[in-house]
Amino acid sequence: MHKSNRAAATTAAALSALAAAIAFAAPQAGAAVTSIHVEQGQSFGSSADARGTGCSYPITVTTEPGKSVVLLDQIGDDPKTADHKQFQPYRVVADASGTARTTWTPDRAGSHKIVALELLGDDEFDVYTRNGAINVGTGVNLGPACVVLP
């Protein structure tokens, strides 16, 4: 009887280790958005990644084909200041390659975070935030180019 308890304990330990390994190896759930890329455009000015108010910048979102994404511009550190009016259009659907495109025209100087909300259902969404904030200075729109002042 003593041998059978040891065998049962060994089997239970092996099954627990296997279950843990499967759980760690399983793909993680989360947003299908994998990247948000903000083009530099024809902006130049006081910093290497100069972007200015009143100037437009192409944005590319990479996600799953057919996914609907809403873009928000979070200004500063407060998520309550997020504004979707700065994107034209602000709601985009990814094409067959998983690429969605829009244009961003920041209207305020300061630190901006680009946020994508992947729509899952009626009131459900996953959030993806682009790595790193974008510093926006005062822009002088010259048509195809933008001069960015500090």
Side-chain angles (χ1 to χ4, degrees):
M1 195 77 138
H2 186 61
K3 254 188 182 178
S4 138
N5 285 340
R6 191 178 329 166
T10 302
T11 302
L15 288 175
S16 295
L18 180 60
I22 291 170
F24 283 115
Q28 299 299 313
V33 173
T34 57
S35 71
I36 300 172
H37 179 71
V38 181
E39 296 288 330
Q40 177 77 29
Q42 296 291 328
S43 289
F44 57 93
S46 60
S47 65
D49 63 344
R51 291 187 179 83
T53 57
C55 301
S56 296
Y57 302 96
I59 297 215
T60 305
V61 178
T62 306
T63 186
E64 294 175 1
K67 285 288 183 179
S68 184
V69 177
V70 170
L71 289 157
L72 301 173
D73 179 4
Q74 180 181 318
I75 301 156
D77 292 327
D78 186 1
K80 295 177 185 172
T81 63
D83 187 358
H84 68 274
K85 293 177 278 192
Q86 298 181 55
F87 295 92
Q88 295 300 322
Y90 70 91
R91 182 177 180 167
V92 292
V93 177
D95 62 17
S97 71
T99 302
R101 291 180 174 80
T102 189
T103 302
W104 175 49
T105 307
D107 66 357
R108 288 169 264 180
S111 178
H112 294 248
K113 293 178 185 170
I114 307 299
V115 178
L117 304 178
E118 176 200 343
L119 304 178
L120 302 174
D122 293 335
D123 293 330
E124 296 180 26
F125 55 87
D126 278 337
V127 177
Y128 178 89
T129 304
R130 179 187 177 277
N131 284 337
I134 299 170
N135 190 36
V136 174
T138 301
V140 178
N141 192 337
L142 301 174
C146 183
V147 177
V148 181
L149 307 173

